Amino acid sequence: MKKPALAAAAFAALVLPTIVSAGGPIERACLRSDRQAANVATCNCIQQVADMTLPSGDQRRAAKFFANPDEAQDVRFSSRSSDTAFWKRYKSFGEAAQAYCGG
C-alpha cells in the first residue's frame, strides 16, 4: 500500500467510527422517542436513509417531528411553498425509510 493510501486508511479507521457512532439528528431523535420500534438498529437505518435523501437542514427539521408530531401536521397542511417543498422531500424520505428499514 502506498503511503498516501495507508495514511487515508488509518485516518478513516480512526475518524469514521467516531462519526458513525455520533449519529445524526434523525437517529438521535428516534432513540429519544417513546416509540416501541425505536431501537439502535432501526434508528440507525432510518438515519442512513435520511443521509441519502435529505439535506442536513431537512434532517434537523424532521427530527423535531419525533418530539412534536403536531408540528409535522402543521407543515403538511401549510400553504407556504417552502413547507410544501419540504413535505415532498420528507414524504419521499419516509417512503424510502419504510421500504429500506421495514416497519
Side-chain angles (χ1 to χ4, degrees):
M1 194 178 276
K2 296 180 181 181
K3 285 187 180 183
L6 182 60
F11 177 77
L14 292 173
V15 173
L16 288 179
T18 304
I19 293 169
V20 172
S21 68
I26 299 282
E27 182 177 7
R28 289 190 303 270
C30 176
L31 290 170
R32 284 192 305 261
S33 74
D34 60 356
R35 290 170 176 80
Q36 278 188 330
N39 62 58
V40 173
T42 301
C43 294
N44 181 269
C45 182
I46 294 168
Q47 180 64 54
Q48 288 177 24
V49 175
D51 289 340
M52 292 184 284
T53 59
L54 293 175
S56 59
D58 283 358
Q59 289 185 34
R60 288 189 300 274
R61 187 174 186 188
K64 294 176 184 175
F65 297 164
F66 283 86
N68 186 2
D70 291 336
E71 188 173 338
Q73 292 304 309
D74 292 343
V75 172
R76 181 178 179 196
F77 294 111
S78 170
S79 60
R80 293 178 50 197
S81 60
S82 60
D83 287 343
T84 301
F86 167 79
W87 191 257
K88 284 183 182 180
R89 294 187 303 272
Y90 178 73
K91 186 175 177 185
S92 293
F93 151 70
E95 291 167 354
Q98 186 169 14
Y100 187 69
C101 303

